[in-house]
Amino acid sequence: MMTLEPDQLNLFPSVTPTPARRSEPLVMSLKALLRWKSQLFDYQQIARESQPPQQTALFDLQRTHCDPDAIDPFSLPLQSMAFYRMPTDAGSAAIYFVSDNAMPLLLYIGETCRSGRRWKGEHGCKQYLDSYHSLHHHYGLQREVSIAFWWDAPVQRKPRQQLELALIQKFQTPFNKENWERWGQPFG
């Protein structure tokens, strides 16, 4: 250790500074989580069961197969969230739905033309799902998160994104940024 001359100032005091305290992360209460899920469930059940208004036309117009009101995400075959690790990848255009089937809740809707590749890398929904899982584990709540694909989506990107947005607006999925103002970001 170096000794200082009697009149020399010490720029580095020998006292170790107290480390700054980190604020504890806020954890959603069990009551708030259950209320959030219940409100989401109620809204999505109404959206699922309600019939869209029928518009009359002077001419018989052929309905498109991509009618968002004709797609029921809760009736699609479910897959594990580890689907992208499977050796086969359909590689086709799709709309995908991430849900918690314990209630059931639709959490996220996305579009892709390469499903496996989309989830292998960074995806914001993965972080929300990690937080969602952690909070449910913290309170000992059941969750059954899975993904389902609707493979009849348009191949062209713009129509596929328009369909995705219509479904996001219909079901008000909380992990999609379009609905953060409505549901908040408790898992973001």
Side-chain angles (χ1 to χ4, degrees):
M1 184 165 181
M2 184 170 26
T3 57
L4 298 174
E5 296 296 320
D7 293 332
Q8 187 176 0
L9 295 174
N10 185 0
L11 294 176
F12 306 100
S14 61
V15 177
T16 307
T18 309
R21 290 188 197 173
R22 289 188 177 178
S23 61
E24 292 295 318
L26 296 175
V27 176
M28 180 186 263
S29 71
L30 175 60
K31 184 178 178 179
L33 174 61
L34 294 175
R35 184 176 54 243
W36 183 87
K37 289 177 69 172
S38 177
Q39 290 171 345
L40 180 59
F41 175 81
D42 291 344
Y43 179 87
Q44 289 182 348
Q45 289 306 306
I46 290 169
R48 183 180 183 200
E49 295 167 2
S50 65
Q51 293 296 322
Q54 298 298 318
Q55 183 174 348
T56 57
L58 294 174
F59 307 100
D60 282 338
L61 300 174
Q62 192 170 12
R63 290 194 75 164
T64 174
H65 78 282
C66 294
D67 177 9
D69 294 315
I71 301 170
D72 181 8
F74 297 101
S75 67
L76 297 172
L78 301 176
Q79 295 186 30
S80 161
M81 288 305 296
F83 72 93
Y84 61 92
R85 293 183 181 128
M86 306 294 184
T88 59
D89 179 16
S92 322
I95 301 290
Y96 58 92
F97 304 90
V98 177
S99 58
D100 181 350
N101 299 294
M103 193 158 203
L105 299 173
L106 199 53
L107 301 172
Y108 184 83
I109 297 173
E111 62 83 22
T112 186
C113 63
R114 296 191 176 176
S115 59
R117 199 178 283 180
R118 177 72 177 107
W119 279 82
K120 279 183 183 174
E122 289 293 315
H123 197 298
C125 187
K126 286 181 179 178
Q127 295 168 354
Y128 300 136
L129 288 173
D130 285 345
S131 298
Y132 186 82
H133 278 287
S134 295
L135 192 59
H136 281 69
H137 178 74
H138 178 77
Y139 292 122
L141 296 176
Q142 181 182 3
R143 74 254 179 227
E144 297 172 20
V145 176
S146 60
I147 193 166
F149 293 89
W150 187 71
W151 295 107
D152 204 17
V155 174
Q156 293 82 21
R157 186 173 191 201
K158 187 170 177 115
R160 194 172 60 244
Q161 288 176 331
Q162 290 170 337
L163 177 59
E164 172 198 31
L165 181 59
L167 288 161
I168 289 168
Q169 291 170 341
K170 176 181 178 177
F171 289 103
Q172 296 288 303
T173 45
F175 291 179
N176 290 96
K177 66 181 177 236
E178 293 86 349
N179 300 314
W180 289 349
E181 190 173 315
R182 179 184 185 123
W183 301 111
Q185 284 183 271
F187 307 104

